[in-house]
Amino acid sequence: MSTVIPGNLHVANDVLADMVGNAALECYGVVGMAAPSAADGIAKILPTSRLRRGVVVTTTDAGVHVELYVVIEYGTNINTVSQNLVDQVKFALKEYARVPIDGVEVHVQGVKVRK
């Protein structure tokens, strides 16, 4: 039983950033999110309450463009983890928010041994 309600739905970029941050932490090989500008060349892992700081969401004419700043687990293949991360983020945005995607960029800010 499906009811169609006319109108438009607008999702804030901060909400999309929270969705992307949670999707990123579910990916195997991702230790945590990092701040976009690593001071002194050291990437610090953000607490889970600040996932939004490791995600930059911008709206373009083609859709939503996402930049992720992550710390990857030592010993994992960076290319594979990054591709899985892109796929996971695209899936979350398409299935849950139903927004068009312009692109997803992954910036690996560091590598760390998981404790």
Side-chain angles (χ1 to χ4, degrees):
M1 184 159 124
S2 175
T3 304
V4 177
I5 301 173
N8 294 322
L9 175 66
H10 299 279
V11 181
N13 284 352
D14 287 343
V15 174
L16 295 176
D18 285 340
M19 291 176 62
V20 168
N22 286 324
L25 285 183
E26 291 177 3
C27 286
Y28 176 79
V30 176
V31 175
M33 305 300 288
S37 59
D40 301 326
I42 299 172
K44 295 181 181 174
I45 296 176
L46 298 173
T48 54
S49 62
R50 296 187 183 165
L51 292 179
R52 191 179 298 170
R53 284 187 51 205
V55 180
V56 177
V57 177
T58 54
T59 306
T60 64
D61 292 336
V64 174
H65 184 80
V66 178
E67 292 184 50
L68 296 166
Y69 296 86
V70 296
V71 177
I72 302 292
E73 182 178 359
Y74 178 79
T76 58
N77 186 317
I78 294 174
N79 186 36
T80 303
V81 172
S82 297
Q83 188 58 50
N84 288 342
L85 191 53
V86 169
D87 294 341
Q88 182 81 7
V89 167
K90 283 184 178 181
F91 178 81
L93 291 177
K94 283 181 183 176
E95 292 300 316
Y96 301 132
R98 305 271 183 194
V99 294
I101 300 170
D102 181 31
V104 178
E105 293 181 32
V106 177
H107 302 274
V108 178
Q109 296 290 87
V111 177
K112 185 172 181 174
V113 176
R114 189 183 300 255
K115 293 180 181 181

